[in-house]
Structures are given as structure tokens and as C-alpha cells.
Amino acid sequence: MDFIDQIQELAARIPKLRENIKTEEATKNALVMPLINILGYNVFDPGEVVPEYTADFGTKKGEKVDYAIFKDEKPVILIECKTIDADLDREHASQLFRYFSVTDAKIGILTNGIIYRFYTDLDSPNKMDDKSFLEVNFLDIKEPLINELKRFRKESFDIDDLATVACELKYTREIKQILAREINSPSEDFVKYFAKQVHNVPFTQNVREKFTGITKNALGQFINEKINERLKLAMSEGSVEAISDKNNGQETPDIMEVLNDGVVTTEEEIEGYHIIKSILRSTIDPKRIVMRDKKNYCGILLDNNNRKPICRLHFSTRQKYLELFVDEDRKSEKTPINELNDIYSYSDQLITTLNSYENDVHK
């Protein structure tokens, strides 16, 4: 059973188990420990997973966080658990905040066994952020989020790579939330910005009220027009199935995808890009590896140079492909992959392609 199947199976069990889970301990045993196990950590090995982890903090002695996951004899992930019915918006991750500053851990997780919130220290080093960079709800779990969970598996855990991903996830999520609020209920500043662009008069109360409705309607029309354009293009190219697959089976694209004028950068493509950077970071400065998305594929380039393709990701259909460049003439072959971590199997080919460009420079 692969990772996605295991996660979906655990999620499917929650409604059946929920009525019988009354305590925090029951939540941990029935839901949290199975997830830790799925991530590849041995919950019965105290050198890998330490329950009731204790670390002194100032004058506070003997406080405990529910689980600490260790790597190379150092804690890398701290997990604080609440009861299954706990409202995480009201709960304080107090132990996580304190332990974060006195341990080597860079990932903190707050959970009630259903919702998992992931934290790190983007805002201030060694101080856990107030806002999570990732939230996974097991009662409403989507495949892109399952792919994000894969980053925390024992076999692929890379704290340096996670730091970059966490930054992108956190701020992308917050911007999308702002956009959703503005589209549903435009703020005064948002309306004022557009009104000033098209109607050079004082922004009075009457103008604000008038342009609030106009702005909301204009945004709705713009999004609908973009959706219709993409559907017409799909029908003309016979690729309706491809668009459905790329949007996880939803009837209409995500708003952030619509605004990209037909070029859709998915979370899977972003994850694939970061996997490739992770593979090549020991060979070259990862800042030189650039993602350039196209309508038909997502290209990974060296130095943002079209003449230096490292590989291409074809993730818009049900079967995913990794396109590799196999010889000096830059001939390519598309190889089917079942999941994104399969990319690691082609590390040698990716490094060889990269080195061929570097060798050309030094000839």
C-alpha cells in the first residue's frame, strides 16, 4: 500500500472511531501514532520517537511535549496533541513555543488527531511562528496536501528544503486567503485602488458604495471569462480530461490558477521542482536551478536558460511523466512515474545532465 492509500485509509477510519475517542491519550493512540508510523518513524523505538519528551526551560522544569521525533540523535519535529474535539483556534501550543527555542527542532505540529498544523521559525530564528505554514484536515483531505505530508517522511525529510517550502506555502496560503476575502467582500482600500484607476474623482462615501458593487462584479466576470476561455481551449484541443485531472477533478479551476492566463503551476509541479533542487544541491548552487512553467509542461532549467534544460515535468494528465535529456544532442525521453518521490530514482541522470552543461563551460 503506497503513502497516499495509507493516508486515505487513516482518514476514512476517523468518522468510525470518533465516537469512542474521549481522551487525549485515546486520540494519540488511535490517530496520531498511526500517522507517525505512516511517515516511516518507529513509534516503538525510543531513539526515534520519544513520547512525553522533557526539556527544561528556564525556571520551568519537567514540562513535557507529547512526542519528539529524532534524527541523528537530535529532535527535529515536536508534536503537541489535544483531544479530538479540541478547537485548535482556542488552544495554545504553549509547550511547542517553549520547546522550540531550547531544542534543535525546526518543525512543530499542533494536532487534535484530525487537524494538523505545522509551524516553523520563518519570522524570527529559533522562535516558533504564531501562524502555521501548513494545515491538513483529515476530514477534508486533498491530494496536493498529501503530497506536502510526504516531505515529513523519514526517507525524504530535509530541513533545508523544508525551510524554503514552508516560506512559499505560508505566504501563498495567506495571499490566497486575502484574495478570497477581497473577492467575497472587497475592503475599502481594495475598492479605492480600482476606483482611482478608472474614475479620477474624490473617494467619497457614495463613490465607495458604488464601486464596491462594481469591483465585486468586475472580478466575478473576469474570473468567469478566464474559466470559459480555458474550457473553450480544452474543448478545441480535446483535453477536457487533462484540465479536470490538473484541477483534482473539480469542475472549475482554482482562482489562483485562472489568473495565470492559461499557464497553471500546480503544487505537484512545485514539489517536483524542489525535489530536483534537493537532488542537485550537492552538485551546484540551488539558486541556479529555475522552474519555468509552460502550458504543456513544466521546465526545469539551469541559469534560466532554455538551452540548458535539466528535465521537464509532465503532470497535467492522469499518468505523470518525467522527461529526461539523455545525450549530448539534448534528445529527450519521457519516463512514466507513479509518484513524485520516484524522481529520486533518476538522480544520476539529472546530475549527469547538469554536469554536461558545466563541462561545456570549462572546455
Side-chain angles (χ1 to χ4, degrees), residues 284 288-289 300-305 308 310 354 357-358:
I284 198 170
R288 295 178 61 190
I289 302 167
I300 311 297
L301 309 174
L302 176 64
D303 298 329
N304 203 19
N305 188 335
K308 296 181 179 181
I310 297 171
L354 177 67
Y357 299 127
E358 293 296 277

Side-chain angles (χ1 to χ4, degrees), residues 10 29 57 64 85 100 109 117 122 144 223 225 235-236 242 254 279 287 302 325 328 335:
L10 177 60
N29 290 338
F57 177 80
K64 299 175 181 179
D85 294 319
F100 205 88
I109 303 174
R117 290 181 178 172
L122 295 175
I223 292 169
E225 287 168 5
M235 293 176 70
S236 67
D254 184 276
I279 291 169
K287 293 179 181 177
L302 176 64
F325 294 87
E328 294 181 355
T335 302

Side-chain angles (χ1 to χ4, degrees), residues 188 191 203-213:
E188 182 173 329
V191 173
F203 192 69
T204 63
Q205 177 70 14
N206 287 337
V207 171
R208 184 183 70 81
E209 292 175 356
K210 177 181 178 181
F211 271 88
T212 296

Side-chain angles (χ1 to χ4, degrees), residues 67-93:
Y67 297 104
I69 294 176
F70 275 65
K71 183 177 181 181
D72 299 327
E73 300 183 351
K74 295 180 180 179
V76 292
I77 301 175
L78 303 178
I79 305 175
E80 184 174 347
C81 305
K82 305 297 181 182
T83 61
I84 193 169
D85 294 319
D87 182 351
L88 296 188
D89 290 329
R90 296 175 179 271
E91 295 286 350
H92 297 288

Side-chain angles (χ1 to χ4, degrees), residues 181-340:
R181 288 198 302 269
E182 295 290 1
I183 289 169
N184 291 325
S185 181
S187 67
E188 182 173 329
D189 287 341
F190 193 73
V191 173
K192 186 176 182 179
Y193 171 80
F194 289 105
K196 288 290 186 181
Q197 302 294 316
V198 299
H199 193 50
N200 191 21
V201 297
F203 192 69
T204 63
Q205 177 70 14
N206 287 337
V207 171
R208 184 183 70 81
E209 292 175 356
K210 177 181 178 181
F211 271 88
T212 296
I214 291 174
T215 301
K216 185 172 182 178
N217 289 337
L219 285 170
Q221 290 177 25
F222 175 75
I223 292 169
N224 286 332
E225 287 168 5
K226 285 295 181 182
I227 291 172
N228 288 332
E229 286 175 11
R230 290 195 60 207
L231 290 175
K232 288 178 182 177
L233 177 64
M235 293 176 70
S236 67
E237 294 180 350
S239 57
V240 173
E241 182 180 354
I243 281 192
S244 176
D245 285 345
K246 198 153 193 174
N247 287 284
N248 298 313
Q250 297 174 9
E251 293 182 1
T252 58
D254 184 276
I255 181 172
M256 292 301 291
E257 297 175 351
V258 172
L259 299 181
N260 279 331
D261 198 24
V263 177
V264 182
T265 302
T266 66
E267 293 184 31
E268 285 192 328
E269 288 168 340
I270 292 172
E271 181 178 357
Y273 167 58
H274 285 295
I275 288 174
I276 292 162
K277 286 179 68 175
S278 176
I279 291 169
L280 301 177
R281 69 185 307 126
S282 61
T283 306
I284 198 170
D285 183 350
K287 293 179 181 177
R288 295 178 61 190
I289 302 167
V290 177
M291 178 174 69
R292 189 185 296 181
D293 205 0
K294 302 288 185 180
K295 286 188 177 181
N296 297 323
Y297 63 85
C298 180
I300 311 297
L301 309 174
L302 176 64
D303 298 329
N304 203 19
N305 188 335
N306 274 329
R307 290 177 295 178
K308 296 181 179 181
I310 297 171
C311 66
R312 292 171 179 168
L313 310 177
H314 297 265
F315 291 172
S316 61
T317 56
R318 197 174 301 278
Q319 174 62 63
K320 298 179 180 65
Y321 292 92
L322 175 66
E323 185 176 357
L324 299 165
F325 294 87
V326 295
D327 58 28
E328 294 181 355
D329 296 326
R330 309 301 179 227
K331 291 182 180 179
S332 64
E333 291 181 356
K334 289 168 66 176
T335 302
I337 59 174
N338 296 319
E339 59 175 36
L340 297 190

